[in-house]
Amino acid sequence: MDRDTFACATKFFRDYSGPPRGASSQPHDHVDYIEKPETFTYADFFKDYLIPNDPCVFSAKFTESWGSRRKWVTPDGKPNFDYLLRTFGEAVVPVANCDVKEYNSNPKEHLKLKEYISYWKEHIKKNYRSPRGCLYLKDWHLHRDFPEQDVYTIPIYFSSDWLNEYWDAIKVDDYRFVYMGPKGSWTPFHADVFRSYSWSANICGKKKWLIFPPGQEENLRDRHGHLPFDITAPELKKGNVYPRYAQSVPPVEIIQEAGEIVFIPSGWHHQVYNLEDTISINHNWVNGCNVAIMWSFLQDELAAVQREIREWRETMEDWHLQCQVLMKSYTGIDYKEFYNFLKIIAENRIFVLENHHSEEDASKHCYRAAISGLGMLHAVFDLKRTAKVLTSLNANEDFKKLNPESLTPPPHALLHRLKAAIDTALL
């Protein structure tokens, strides 16, 4: 991060009061297309898309060196089933049925990849029809299962990735996925986990994205406050069911070709279709620009849980703890884990700032190496954003009920260390 970008980010977030962010009241009529890697810098992406929380599309030139673009695709641009079977055929993968709605998602089963590809080939032969329905391989943690494979290289624009930095550190999960599906497979209307960013690269095939800026989804809620499963369903035009639909604006439409990367900012709801047989790489990620949006989302989720079980507040033992348990079961994280998330992010950056002359020490830890590669001012920016959110968390009444002083280190001690590291770095 150069000084100009640091100054721009510092000024923006000094004046920023909190979510929603982006052009929530300004309908978009287009999405920027980034053509040339050699003329598009990390600073360009940071200032023009991360800070304003706006989407963009990267051309296929950004992925042309990836192993998956060479090996996973036939000369005529189709999925290379033979290569995938040889390399990953015995892997067990999650598969959703796009033709079935179960609550507000598609039901999933687990199959060996060789079974799924057998289905897929048969589905193509039968003109994309099957008694089993339209099956879509989704959320396969291929990077975790096959870390040695030459599949892709994360573009520098997406390298400040706090979600995967944290979950790699605790060795529990990750948010790196492979999707594979036939023409006609699709993903229902949603916003991404924790209101994170996402980037999605087509290895082959073509997708259609329908996306809405933050806030626009409110006009799509039904009379009970629920968002639709499918924003193209004719039921949305029924005013007695969806009373604000007439006020909604059309979605921004993106057609994503093979090799291209789509960047979806925080809180942009979207629905996605595979227009051809398609394989994609997808990451969810959080960084200093949207960690406050993640924190706001968690507060909203806890408030929803508290409303749901408020009638037991006086009679249920440890009601506040039970709310945290329920929130974690719904979202994947609770307030204590969010604190641990902030702690690990902070400690890695403090280490880099305190040991910035020791490249050997940083290189032994891939995330510290990535932090160091983005520059010392980026580490300072990250710490400032972490400190801002940690201050808010520490003042939160629901967090105070969880005995935060029992955490290691206690929040006030971590906050003191954070601010000292920032002050020292800026001397």
Side-chain angles (χ1 to χ4, degrees):
M1 179 180 283
D2 57 32
R3 290 189 176 277
D4 179 62
T5 306
F6 180 76
C8 175
T10 299
K11 181 180 186 305
F12 178 88
F13 286 105
R14 183 177 61 238
D15 301 333
Y16 171 59
S17 59
R21 203 169 92 230
S24 61
S25 60
Q26 299 291 326
H28 279 51
D29 57 5
H30 79 286
V31 172
D32 290 346
Y33 190 78
I34 314 302
E35 179 67 41
K36 299 179 180 179
E38 62 271 18
T39 59
F40 188 69
T41 66
Y42 180 82
D44 292 331
F45 181 65
F46 196 97
K47 289 187 285 188
D48 294 342
Y49 301 99
L50 284 182
I51 289 177
N53 203 45
D54 277 345
C56 63
V57 179
F58 294 79
S59 77
K61 293 177 182 177
F62 288 83
T63 64
E64 61 187 5
S65 65
W66 289 6
S68 53
R69 293 279 319 277
R70 298 190 309 272
K71 302 172 187 175
W72 292 21
V73 186
T74 63
D76 60 348
K78 306 295 184 184
N80 189 335
F81 292 134
D82 290 341
Y83 178 83
L84 294 169
L85 284 169
R86 287 196 310 271
T87 312
F88 309 112
E90 295 298 323
V92 176
V93 296
V95 176
N97 190 331
C98 297
D99 293 345
V100 179
K101 178 183 175 182
E102 199 171 84
Y103 298 102
N104 217 32
S105 62
N106 303 124
K108 282 186 178 179
E109 60 180 318
H110 285 80
L111 303 173
K112 286 190 174 182
L113 182 65
K114 63 182 182 183
E115 297 172 42
Y116 178 70
I117 289 179
S118 176
Y119 153 82
W120 192 352
K121 292 163 79 172
E122 188 68 18
H123 193 62
I124 294 171
K125 283 182 184 178
K126 293 184 176 180
N127 199 26
Y128 296 93
R129 290 182 176 89
S130 170
R132 298 178 65 184
C134 183
L135 303 185
Y136 191 5
L137 189 164
K138 302 174 74 171
D139 300 327
W140 178 21
H141 295 267
L142 179 136
H143 181 277
R144 187 177 68 195
D145 296 342
F146 297 91
E148 74 287 350
Q149 285 289 325
D150 173 26
V151 178
Y152 62 100
T153 303
I154 299 172
I156 188 172
Y157 316 103
F158 317 134
S159 58
S160 181
D161 178 352
W162 296 11
L163 274 191
N164 288 302
E165 178 179 345
Y166 171 69
W167 263 274
D168 284 352
I170 63 172
K171 295 180 171 58
V172 170
D173 204 353
D174 74 339
Y175 287 89
R176 310 176 187 92
F177 307 107
V178 168
Y179 283 47
M180 299 183 183
K183 180 176 68 174
S185 51
W186 66 293
T187 299
F189 190 58
H190 70 287
D192 286 315
V193 60
F194 309 137
R195 296 303 178 264
S196 59
Y197 299 132
S198 69
W199 62 264
S200 178
N202 274 2
I203 304 307
C204 64
K206 181 187 292 189
K207 290 181 186 286
K208 179 170 76 172
W209 296 73
L210 303 177
I211 67 175
F212 290 84
Q216 294 292 343
E217 77 282 355
E218 294 304 317
N219 290 326
L220 302 176
R221 294 187 183 277
D222 66 17
R223 65 177 183 267
H224 303 294
H226 301 138
L227 289 171
F229 180 74
D230 177 3
I231 56 169
T232 68
E235 293 79 43
L236 270 72
K237 296 179 181 178
K238 296 179 179 177
N240 61 327
V241 180
Y242 291 91
R244 295 174 59 184
Y245 179 75
Q247 303 169 42
S248 66
V249 298
V252 180
E253 182 175 309
I254 300 171
I255 300 297
Q256 180 189 15
E257 303 286 350
E260 294 178 344
I261 306 173
V262 170
F263 166 63
I264 300 296
S266 283
W268 284 63
H269 283 69
H270 48 283
Q271 188 162 307
V272 192
Y273 299 88
N274 290 325
L275 303 180
E276 300 173 355
D277 297 316
T278 301
I279 300 176
S280 63
I281 307 289
N282 306 269
H283 280 212
N284 293 109
W285 52 302
V286 167
N287 64 23
C289 291
N290 67 340
V291 66
I293 296 176
M294 178 182 179
W295 168 226
S296 179
F297 166 74
L298 294 178
Q299 292 175 80
D300 289 344
E301 288 296 291
L302 180 61
V305 169
Q306 290 173 337
R307 287 193 298 272
E308 194 70 25
I309 63 169
R310 61 182 177 272
E311 62 188 282
W312 293 290
R313 181 167 187 154
E314 302 304 324
T315 57
M316 181 185 290
E317 187 176 355
D318 296 327
W319 182 83
H320 290 284
L321 291 177
Q322 292 302 318
C323 288
Q324 293 287 324
V325 170
L326 287 172
M327 183 180 77
K328 185 167 185 175
S329 72
Y330 298 150
T331 66
I333 193 170
D334 59 17
Y335 278 14
K336 280 190 174 181
E337 182 156 29
F338 184 61
Y339 171 77
N340 198 46
F341 167 78
L342 295 175
K343 179 186 76 170
I344 286 178
I345 297 306
E347 287 176 343
N348 281 339
R349 282 141 189 82
I350 291 169
F351 178 91
V352 167
L353 289 175
E354 292 178 348
N355 298 273
H356 64 277
H357 295 300
S358 177
E359 293 186 7
E360 182 180 348
D361 286 344
S363 67
K364 294 176 183 176
H365 189 294
C366 65
Y367 281 105
R368 288 173 180 171
I371 297 161
S372 183
L374 290 174
M376 296 301 104
L377 286 177
H378 205 302
V380 173
F381 167 76
D382 288 354
L383 287 179
K384 291 178 77 171
R385 298 302 302 143
T386 306
K388 181 80 171 179
V389 173
L390 181 56
T391 299
S392 176
L393 175 65
N394 204 27
N396 181 274
E397 292 301 322
D398 291 301
F399 184 62
K400 289 178 181 178
K401 293 180 173 71
L402 304 177
N403 189 22
E405 292 307 304
S406 66
L407 298 170
T408 306
H412 73 275
L414 177 60
L415 197 53
H416 177 78
R417 189 172 172 222
L418 255 170
K419 292 178 176 178
I422 293 168
D423 291 344
T424 301
L426 292 177
L427 287 177

